[in-house]
Amino acid sequence: MTLFNKKLDFLKDPLNIVITVLLVTIILIVFSSFSQIGILTYDDLTNKLFAINKENNLFKTAFSFAQGQGRFFFIYSGLLLFFPYLFDSVTYTRIIGFLPIILNITLFSLLIFQFFKSKKLSLIMAALFFAFMQNSWEHNLLTAYPFVFTTSFNFTLIGLLLYKKYFYSPKKFWKIISAFCFFLSLLTYETFLVYFIFYFFIALNEALKTKFHLIDRAKMLLTNIGYHLFSIFVYFSVYTLFQLRYPAGGYAGNMLGKLEPVKYMQTAFQLGISSFPGYIYLNKLYTNYFIEHSYSLFGDRRNILFILGNIQLIWLIKALLLSLLIWLISNFKEKIINNKSYFFLILTSILLVFIPQLIIALTDKYQFWVLGGSIIGFTTTYFSYFGSVFLLSLIVYKAKEIFRPNILKSLILFFIIITVSILSIIIDYTNYHINLSQKQMTLMWNVIKPLLKTPEFNEIPNNSYIYSPNLNTFFTYKGYWDNYIKIKTGKNIEFIINKEEFNKKYKDEPEKLTSKLYYLGYYQEEKDPNVFLTLSKIDSLVKEGELFGFFSNNVNLYTYSKYRKYLLNFQTKVNDNEPSAFIDDQKIFSNSFGFSYLVNKNFPGDSLLKTVIKAPNINIQSVLISYFTSLDSTYLK
């Protein structure tokens, strides 16, 4: 009841209510921008397939993961990896992913308050954490591996809170539960071993407070840290025994390479430093990326004036809310942390930036990726983010108190608010471009799902082949679509996703291939969510060297776009004097370039709109649409 009463007391203060509303609003603004981003990694793609397959035994799959990587804890963490994908819903996945993140910063802020009794510093940390949250393409835990690693970090933080409670209320129970939480955190990632250093420092600090002799202090230290040491012993013992029983083929991600101090430090430094807010925007790896994906008529410019000139209303609202929040928090009246403790906190924040990288930087795999320029951050960079934001929070917390005159304090606070607001807008600009490009990357699944429910797709016989050279991304793989379609429809359909694979299949078994061969064309614009697909039975094909031409008498065209009016163009193989075709039962005739027809679907309908093209020997690969509808060159008779 004590904690509940404290919460009630907190909400009795109108200022606390205002601060809570402001913070919650910022959280909703930030997370809403990530809410519709789909799957971005090969691992998540695979995990989702296993999770949504009702015939799959998830326990056996998790155990096979453990065997394959030689990491016993996948028996447990594998199930956590599947949990966000139990339902085939992006909204469900994102909610499950965001909740542990919110708990992460809640516990971290509570940890600050428990150790230093500063509500002001705790709230600044929470405000900046959400305001500066930046997305990236490097396996960022905001959009990749939802739930699993952030949940383990929660166990780390809970363990530290309980360990602190043990020294205030020295019951062995709290120490045991703390060690158990620490052990649970280790069951998803070896990286969490590094947080043992904080348990050690807490225990050491408590031992140094006593007036015991050195030997007695050492005994006290070992007694207080014993359960956590035992957790590590059990962890490595089981790890070793499991690898002896199930020797893995060698997963590069947990295999230590040759220790080269310079490469090791460069890798750890890079993975840690990229957690600082604004780093993504400034890094040269993303310079061309912003130019390529800019939604401005002028491309991208590397300056704040350009960003402010292209600011969106929601970014401005968030910056204003953040400014008000920082101003309210900064005016709290409380005892300021002394200089000695403040210096210790600065060192702690720097430690928090880099210790999450101490283990991962030992592997050849990540050294190669980082030093080769392929990535600037990784999964562990998320944990470094707590350190970088904590360091910035300490600066914001202390800056105003350096000066005595009130006028100087006001000027410093004004400068802090302006700086924080501008940085917030820069990060929103960065996230806007990255989020949109990631939504574009995962748009494919939004289109394929309704396609699978169409009568035309359901009419495709079992054991057919679908040639779809465009239905591919950098993380889909051979057999993915076969498995996905099997799970969603129950049909055995083999997808052929590139011309090399098609050539080999045609050479090995041409009659079997052509007897049940379909073509699925997938075409997507680079920046806007405009997609069209073609689905048709291949009635004939022409081979010239290594190239094939595919022809059908009936092509189903599907469009997925906010535009419901478009110009349709296609060609046929037969070049009669006056060949005709039917578009949704409308007869049209060709011109000198083939067929053109202005399709108008400006009426209520589904997200996936169908148009049927009928003509002898339609060249399937020639079907093209354009939203430049003023170029109508339709021939009707």
Side-chain angles (χ1 to χ4, degrees):
M1 289 298 292
T2 304
L3 182 59
F4 180 72
N5 289 334
K6 286 183 178 180
K7 288 181 179 178
L8 288 179
D9 291 339
F10 179 83
L11 294 176
K12 286 179 181 178
D13 187 345
L15 179 59
N16 290 337
I17 295 175
V18 172
I19 288 173
T20 302
V21 171
L22 289 173
L23 188 56
V24 169
T25 305
I26 290 172
I27 292 171
L28 292 175
I29 290 173
V30 171
F31 282 138
S32 64
S33 66
F34 299 103
S35 61
Q36 293 304 310
I37 297 175
I39 297 176
L40 298 169
T41 71
Y42 171 92
D43 292 335
D44 286 323
L45 200 68
T46 304
N47 293 335
K48 182 169 184 176
L49 272 187
F50 285 124
I52 64 175
N53 187 355
K54 305 304 180 185
E55 298 179 0
N56 182 50
N57 186 316
L58 296 181
F59 293 96
K60 289 184 178 179
T61 304
F63 189 77
S64 69
F65 281 6
Q67 288 178 289
Q69 294 200 8
R71 300 158 99 178
F72 79 96
F73 54 75
F74 263 91
I75 299 170
Y76 157 79
S77 64
L79 298 177
L80 296 185
L81 288 167
F82 301 142
F83 179 63
Y85 300 115
L86 292 177
F87 301 97
D88 191 6
S89 165
V90 173
T91 302
Y92 164 78
T93 300
R94 288 294 158 234
I95 291 174
I96 294 299
F98 292 155
L99 290 178
I101 292 175
I102 294 173
L103 186 56
N104 282 167
I105 187 56
T106 302
L107 292 172
F108 193 91
S109 298
L110 183 59
L111 200 61
I112 294 172
F113 182 75
Q114 288 294 324
F115 275 88
F116 299 98
K117 305 303 177 186
S118 175
K119 184 169 73 170
K120 183 177 176 179
L121 180 58
S122 300
L123 288 173
I124 291 173
M125 175 70 197
L128 297 187
F129 178 88
F130 289 113
F132 294 162
M133 194 173 279
Q134 57 188 2
N135 196 7
S136 68
W137 276 98
E138 285 96 358
H139 291 65
N140 192 312
L141 290 188
L142 294 177
T143 51
Y145 305 114
F147 189 76
V148 56
F149 300 125
T150 48
T151 296
S152 283
F153 194 51
N154 280 325
F155 281 125
T156 297
L157 298 171
I158 292 171
L160 288 168
L161 282 167
L162 293 177
Y163 198 53
K164 178 66 174 175
K165 184 177 180 64
Y166 162 73
F167 289 107
Y168 278 105
S169 175
K171 294 180 181 179
K172 188 183 290 186
F173 171 78
W174 299 120
K175 186 167 58 173
I176 294 173
I177 299 300
S178 172
F180 181 67
C181 287
F182 174 62
F183 181 76
L184 285 178
S185 72
L186 303 180
L187 298 182
T188 58
Y189 215 167
E190 297 87 349
T191 289
F192 292 104
L193 281 165
V194 299
Y195 290 99
F196 172 77
I197 191 172
F198 292 103
Y199 292 99
F200 177 80
F201 281 154
I202 293 171
L204 179 62
N205 181 60
E206 294 298 327
L208 292 176
K209 286 180 181 179
T210 67
K211 296 181 180 180
F212 299 155
H213 293 295
L214 182 61
I215 294 177
D216 292 328
R217 286 180 176 180
K219 288 180 179 178
M220 180 183 176
L221 173 64
L222 289 174
T223 301
N224 288 332
I225 207 69
Y227 286 107
H228 296 80
L229 287 171
F230 180 70
S231 296
I232 295 175
F233 172 76
V234 171
Y235 181 77
F236 278 112
S237 297
V238 178
Y239 206 126
T240 303
L241 291 173
F242 190 84
Q243 287 197 331
L244 290 174
R245 177 65 180 85
Y246 301 103
Y251 170 62
N254 69 330
M255 295 181 66
L256 302 181
K258 181 181 178 182
L259 182 60
E260 298 182 53
V262 175
K263 288 185 177 180
Y264 171 69
M265 288 188 290
Q266 287 176 333
T267 303
F269 179 80
Q270 176 58 62
L271 293 176
I273 203 70
S274 62
S275 67
F276 277 89
Y279 186 90
I280 300 295
Y281 174 75
L282 296 172
N283 188 266
K284 62 181 181 181
L285 188 66
Y286 278 83
T287 301
N288 290 331
Y289 172 86
F290 283 109
I291 295 173
E292 182 180 350
H293 293 87
S294 174
Y295 282 74
S296 167
L297 292 174
F298 306 98
D300 178 66
R301 300 288 187 274
R302 300 276 91 187
N303 62 73
I304 186 61
L305 293 178
F306 176 80
I307 295 177
L308 293 176
N310 289 275
I311 193 171
Q312 294 192 5
L313 179 60
I314 194 66
W315 308 348
L316 182 59
I317 291 173
K318 179 190 155 197
L320 291 174
L321 293 176
L322 178 63
S323 299
L324 179 57
L325 187 57
I326 295 298
W327 181 76
L328 291 173
I329 296 171
S330 296
N331 285 297
F332 275 0
K333 303 297 182 183
E334 65 177 27
K335 185 179 179 181
I336 300 299
I337 296 172
N338 62 56
N339 290 336
K340 181 179 178 181
S341 296
Y342 184 77
F343 179 71
F344 169 77
L345 286 175
I346 292 289
L347 293 179
T348 301
S349 66
I350 295 171
L351 189 64
L352 283 167
V353 170
F354 296 108
I355 66 165
Q357 319 308 331
L358 295 183
I359 293 178
I360 195 173
L362 289 168
T363 65
D364 284 337
K365 175 181 177 178
Y366 297 112
Q367 286 185 12
F368 177 77
W369 282 6
V370 171
L371 301 180
S374 299
I375 62 173
I376 58 175
F378 198 63
T379 303
T380 49
T381 302
Y382 170 81
F383 307 117
S384 294
Y385 178 62
F386 286 82
S388 61
V389 175
F390 190 32
L391 179 58
L392 295 177
S393 300
L394 288 165
I395 294 171
V396 171
Y397 170 84
K398 193 74 170 179
K400 195 180 79 164
E401 307 304 327
I402 295 175
F403 301 94
R404 291 295 177 89
N406 288 332
I407 185 66
L408 286 178
K409 286 187 176 184
S410 298
L411 287 173
I412 291 297
L413 180 57
F414 176 76
F415 175 77
I416 288 171
I417 288 174
I418 293 297
T419 303
V420 166
S421 299
I422 290 175
L423 185 53
S424 171
I425 292 169
I426 290 173
I427 289 166
D428 286 334
Y429 176 85
T430 303
N431 287 343
Y432 172 74
H433 289 83
I434 294 175
N435 292 354
L436 279 177
S437 65
Q438 290 180 346
K439 289 175 184 176
Q440 282 293 99
M441 179 62 70
T442 58
L443 180 63
M444 184 179 292
W445 283 265
N446 294 349
V447 182
I448 295 299
K449 283 181 184 179
L451 176 70
L452 301 184
K453 298 177 181 178
T454 61
E456 294 76 28
F457 194 92
N458 289 323
E459 289 171 2
I460 297 177
N462 202 27
N463 299 315
S464 294
Y465 297 93
I466 293 181
Y467 180 44
S468 187
N470 304 109
L471 196 67
N472 199 14
T473 70
F474 67 89
F475 55 85
T476 50
Y477 50 89
K478 169 62 180 170
Y480 168 77
W481 290 111
D482 307 29
N483 294 327
Y484 185 78
I485 299 303
K486 173 69 175 176
I487 293 168
K488 302 298 286 187
T489 69
K491 290 184 178 181
N492 291 307
I493 295 177
E494 183 177 340
F495 276 75
I496 304 171
I497 57 176
N498 57 61
K499 66 179 183 180
E500 292 77 18
E501 185 184 343
F502 184 87
N503 287 344
K504 185 177 185 305
K505 199 79 176 176
Y506 184 81
K507 181 179 179 181
D508 294 342
E509 40 189 8
E511 293 184 5
K512 181 181 177 182
L513 174 65
T514 55
S515 63
K516 290 184 179 181
L517 181 59
Y518 290 77
Y519 190 96
L520 176 60
Y522 180 90
Y523 309 92
Q524 176 180 322
E525 289 188 6
E526 182 180 0
K527 294 184 180 181
D528 293 311
N530 299 318
V531 177
F532 80 91
L533 305 97
T534 55
L535 177 64
S536 53
K537 173 80 167 67
I538 296 177
D539 296 310
S540 64
L541 56 83
V542 175
K543 185 176 187 299
E544 294 183 6
E546 296 295 313
L547 301 178
F548 284 87
F550 302 94
F551 300 90
S552 177
N553 300 326
N554 189 315
V555 175
N556 298 294
L557 170 70
Y558 302 91
T559 55
Y560 181 93
S561 173
K562 61 184 177 183
Y563 301 107
R564 306 176 80 84
K565 184 178 179 181
Y566 57 88
L567 187 66
L568 169 62
N569 298 282
F570 64 93
Q571 296 176 338
T572 59
K573 181 170 64 174
V574 179
N575 189 22
D576 296 336
N577 292 329
E578 197 175 54
S580 62
F582 286 89
I583 309 296
D584 288 337
D585 296 326
Q586 171 68 57
K587 189 174 185 179
I588 66 170
F589 294 85
S590 68
N591 56 32
S592 57
F593 301 104
F595 291 89
S596 295
Y597 182 69
L598 185 63
V599 179
N600 191 342
K601 300 282 183 177
N602 280 323
F603 49 80
D606 297 328
S607 60
L608 203 62
L609 299 176
K610 183 179 78 169
T611 299
V612 179
I613 310 170
K614 292 183 179 180
N617 294 311
I618 301 167
N619 185 339
I620 302 170
Q621 294 163 303
S622 73
V623 177
L624 183 67
I625 72 169
S626 170
Y627 294 113
F628 289 94
T629 54
S630 60
L631 302 177
D632 181 20
S633 56
T634 305
Y635 279 70
L636 299 175
K637 289 190 178 181

